[in-house]
Amino acid sequence: MQIQVKCSCGAESCPEWAIVELQGAVEVQPSFQDRLQNLVIGELCRPSSQENYTFTVGYHELTGSKVTLKKPLLVLKKLKSMDLDQGSENGPAEVELDVIGIIRHKILFKTRPRALISKPQPTVK
Amino acid sequence: MATDEFIIWSFMGCSGAEAVLNLQPDSLIAIAYHPHFGSHDDLMLLEVDEKLLPDVLQQRVTLRGQPDEGAVLCTRSKTYAIKFVGTSNSSFLIPPSDQFAPSQNSLVCDSKVYDLQQLAPVIKVAPGNMELNEVSPRLDKLKLLLSENPYRTEEVLEMDDWDMGKSKTGLYTWDDLVERVQASNDELRAGLRALSAVEIDGYWRIVEEKYMDMILRMLLHNSVLNDWSLHALNEDEVVRVLASDGFPQKLALHCLDVYGSKMDGDVCTSYVWKLDGRKVCVHFGREILREGKRKMENFMVEWLKKIPDGIQASFDMLEGEVLTEKLGVETWVRAFSVSSLPLTPAERFSILFRERPKWEWKDLHPYIRDLKVPGLSSEALLLKYTRRTQPSLDAEPVFSAR
């Protein structure tokens, strides 16, 4: 089997994606577990002209920095051709991979979160 | 960590990766789950070395492999194994604003309202990425496929039946091979050449040795009859004469290609070929040993008798093709061809040490010099698969299995 790797964005203008990376996982409150969509995770802030960042998630703050990846990451999207005739005759449908983006930098938070105690308490009844 | 701010918002006209990467000093941006956030298994990350990037972006790479094989990525000339590397970190993937632009409107509510220009949506959390490692092409499979149905003497006679649509099992076109063999195009071409394969009626074939022997002997016979020089054979004439003897043109040409080399010359007229003495000598050595081992003296007499005039034979031409061994006072020769051995180092060394527990360097070298593993020197290969002992300082080192 051979899968063609396409690049529909064009070599010169491959759009740049971003990664915000942190250790561990972000726990969502149980009531939002099934509907993450549209939910704000946190605020990314660049306090100074240096490439240092903070990421505030709830009452936790992470500090990190922007790093350039040693090797870029390509964002690939799997495309299945919708040719019905082919699908039934020749087994599985043809698959192609399309390069839709490139990632050269990420904002990396390597540290454990620091609690922001000065913030007001959540509204608990 | 907990997301305590339950903010639901509209993505109409929101920003994306650009805003994150170009965040100005003293400013902030909210990171939020995209309206279409999900596992998006069809989105994958592939780590690519900067120097491979142009090949990928200019659509010169393909993935190859059968469903039961690990996929490889092939450029025009090289093969890379693909490995998935997982991460326990949370990698929030943020597309640029013009990709995955959400279409529906959502409501802005709760405690805080963000300026839409200051929202970056996360489309998925990447569980890891794929890495590439250069590997040797998997050409043992090529040999296996082409051995299914080699071109035989009888086939020449059956040509007519064959055209009638007789069984074509075990026959492979270039495209069939690309689908089945995990190698780049250049490596596949080199592999076909190393196997002395030839494209006949659109199918890549290896030709039975018996048939190659027939055609080579006929060529040598004709060179005597027609007073041709083995150092300057006229392609058109050779092919015409061999065709009149019943050999298809394609195979006559293949014979020149296997046992000779094309000379640079006047392209306007016919090509001129020079027979390669070593290849001709090796061929006849193999022919003699096909039936089994021989005493050295008998072998040499018989071998030299077969070598045509104008070609000089010497026993070292047979390195990598034959092994000699002492049995009592006699020295015996038998066939042991490097071309019959597997191409993967572990299997190659395992067969070599089964053949002989101890090897001297001069004997071992012809059987391993074709092994190439990306990122591993030949010294490193020896270290990995052999144990080297040297009885005394001036003695030849001996290699045994690890």
Side-chain angles (χ1 to χ4, degrees):
Chain A
M1 190 166 76
Q2 182 169 218
I3 298 175
Q4 194 66 44
V5 180
K6 296 198 313 172
C7 184
S8 56
C9 56
E12 304 306 319
S13 56
C14 197
E16 204 169 337
W17 289 41
I19 285 182
V20 172
E21 183 173 318
L22 44 92
Q23 281 199 336
V26 172
E27 288 284 334
V28 181
Q29 294 225 335
S31 54
F32 280 87
Q33 209 101 60
D34 304 325
R35 41 193 182 104
L36 294 177
Q37 287 77 5
N38 299 339
L39 200 63
V40 169
I41 301 165
E43 276 176 6
L44 180 71
C45 179
R46 183 180 175 189
S48 71
S49 59
Q50 286 168 323
E51 292 289 0
N52 291 328
Y53 295 80
T54 62
F55 191 36
T56 313
V57 180
Y59 298 122
H60 289 110
E61 187 184 84
L62 297 160
T63 48
S65 57
K66 186 175 181 179
V67 295
T68 302
L69 302 182
K70 283 200 200 82
K71 295 177 183 179
L73 290 168
L74 292 175
V75 184
L76 302 181
K77 187 172 167 59
K78 198 193 273 180
L79 306 170
K80 283 204 180 80
S81 81
M82 286 298 152
D83 197 335
L84 287 175
D85 299 342
Q86 230 187 6
S88 54
E89 290 281 311
N90 303 340
E94 291 233 336
V95 175
E96 279 182 335
L97 288 172
D98 190 12
V99 180
I100 57 170
I102 185 167
I103 299 163
R104 292 185 177 279
H105 310 277
K106 64 183 174 189
I107 316 273
L108 178 63
F109 297 94
K110 289 197 274 204
T111 56
R112 298 178 68 84
R114 185 168 66 89
L116 295 174
I117 43 169
S118 57
K119 283 258 177 144
Q121 290 300 301
T123 48
V124 200
K125 290 197 177 110
Chain B
M1 264 177 279
T3 50
D4 292 335
E5 289 169 50
F6 312 133
I7 297 163
I8 300 193
W9 44 282
S10 160
F11 277 85
M12 292 294 284
C14 72
S15 55
E18 315 88 305
V20 172
L21 296 172
N22 301 315
L23 193 60
Q24 293 307 303
D26 241 352
S27 56
L28 61 81
I29 186 167
I31 309 291
Y33 291 108
H34 195 282
H36 300 309
F37 175 83
S39 65
H40 292 282
D41 294 332
D42 57 335
L43 289 182
M44 292 163 282
L45 299 180
L46 175 68
E47 188 188 68
V48 169
D49 200 280
E50 203 69 54
K51 58 180 197 287
L52 252 180
L53 209 51
D55 280 331
V56 182
L57 295 181
Q58 288 163 30
Q59 317 198 79
R60 289 190 300 240
V61 304
T62 56
L63 304 192
R64 291 177 182 176
Q66 300 288 302
D68 59 335
E69 299 167 321
V72 299
L73 179 139
C74 296
T75 62
R76 198 171 54 86
S77 60
K78 285 181 173 161
T79 305
Y80 298 84
I82 299 176
K83 192 172 89 178
F84 182 80
V85 185
T87 174
S88 60
N89 284 3
S90 293
S91 236
F92 294 112
L93 206 53
I94 303 171
S97 56
D98 58 344
Q99 277 178 321
F100 290 91
S103 51
Q104 101 261 26
N105 252 329
S106 302
L107 208 67
V108 180
C109 73
D110 212 89
S111 57
K112 201 163 173 182
V113 178
Y114 288 95
D115 178 349
L116 293 179
Q117 296 304 311
Q118 290 174 333
L119 279 167
V122 173
I123 190 72
K124 78 175 275 182
V125 178
N129 63 267
M130 296 181 287
E131 273 182 11
L132 299 177
N133 282 305
E134 193 182 338
V135 291
S136 312
R138 311 209 162 128
L139 291 173
D140 279 327
K141 188 169 176 190
L142 176 66
K143 198 198 290 186
L144 209 66
L145 292 174
L146 295 191
S147 306
E148 285 174 20
N149 193 352
Y151 189 89
R152 293 172 209 279
T153 323
E154 304 83 59
E155 206 170 291
V156 188
L157 308 167
E158 290 169 0
M159 270 304 256
D160 298 336
D161 298 345
W162 204 70
D163 282 341
M164 302 289 281
K166 262 185 76 178
S167 149
K168 290 186 179 176
T169 51
L171 296 182
Y172 301 96
T173 63
W174 171 264
D175 288 344
D176 294 334
L177 293 174
V178 164
E179 294 276 315
R180 286 168 178 78
V181 180
Q182 294 190 300
S184 67
N185 285 5
D186 284 0
E187 290 164 329
L188 187 56
R189 232 171 266 124
L192 286 168
R193 207 171 159 74
L195 289 172
S196 298
V198 55
E199 195 178 14
I200 301 171
D201 300 323
Y203 298 103
W204 281 94
R205 315 284 300 273
I206 45 181
V207 182
E208 206 188 27
E209 281 203 54
K210 207 169 89 190
Y211 188 79
M212 290 308 292
D213 181 55
M214 250 167 54
I215 191 163
L216 175 63
R217 280 190 290 120
M218 189 57 84
L219 169 69
L220 294 171
H221 179 68
N222 279 316
S223 73
V224 175
L225 283 184
N226 301 304
D227 204 18
W228 297 336
S229 159
L230 298 182
H231 301 283
L233 292 165
N234 180 297
E235 177 177 303
D236 287 349
E237 202 177 347
V238 169
V239 170
R240 186 175 50 77
V241 170
L242 284 175
S244 71
D245 290 327
F247 295 99
Q249 283 199 7
K250 192 90 197 207
L251 285 137
L253 208 54
H254 182 57
C255 180
L256 287 173
D257 196 33
V258 169
Y259 299 109
S261 50
K262 204 184 266 185
M263 317 269 283
D264 295 332
D266 194 356
V267 184
C268 304
T269 60
S270 171
Y271 286 112
V272 172
W273 293 75
K274 174 184 190 301
L275 278 199
D276 180 326
R278 199 190 74 88
K279 287 176 180 166
V280 173
C281 292
V282 166
H283 171 82
F284 286 116
R286 286 167 67 120
E287 277 299 306
I288 295 165
L289 297 174
R290 190 182 303 284
E291 276 118 56
K293 62 181 174 184
R294 295 290 176 95
K295 275 187 199 155
M296 180 63 118
E297 303 88 84
N298 299 352
F299 170 76
M300 287 306 287
V301 170
E302 204 176 328
W303 188 42
L304 293 174
K305 208 162 65 190
K306 280 182 178 259
I307 306 295
D309 288 339
I311 289 181
Q312 284 293 319
S314 82
F315 193 73
D316 15 299
M317 286 175 165
L318 297 177
E319 74 173 10
E321 293 292 339
V322 303
L323 285 178
T324 56
E325 55 200 0
K326 281 223 185 299
L327 291 174
V329 287
E330 307 280 7
T331 303
W332 290 73
V333 191
R334 71 196 164 81
F336 187 69
S337 175
V338 61
S339 63
S340 69
L341 302 178
L343 295 167
T344 40
E347 289 173 48
R348 171 80 60 98
F349 280 103
S350 141
I351 290 187
L352 287 173
F353 288 120
R354 211 179 309 148
E355 179 63 35
R356 266 185 190 186
K358 287 180 183 346
W359 288 80
E360 278 186 26
W361 173 244
K362 66 171 173 39
D363 292 337
L364 182 61
H365 183 235
Y367 291 101
I368 58 170
R369 63 184 160 200
D370 63 318
L371 288 180
K372 283 186 189 69
V373 179
L376 216 55
S377 65
S378 42
E379 288 76 26
L381 257 182
L382 276 178
L383 266 176
K384 189 167 175 191
Y385 293 102
T386 68
R387 188 187 303 278
R388 180 192 160 111
T389 45
Q390 204 161 0
S392 65
L393 256 178
D394 52 348
E396 283 288 318
V398 174
F399 296 86
S400 53
R402 273 197 86 80

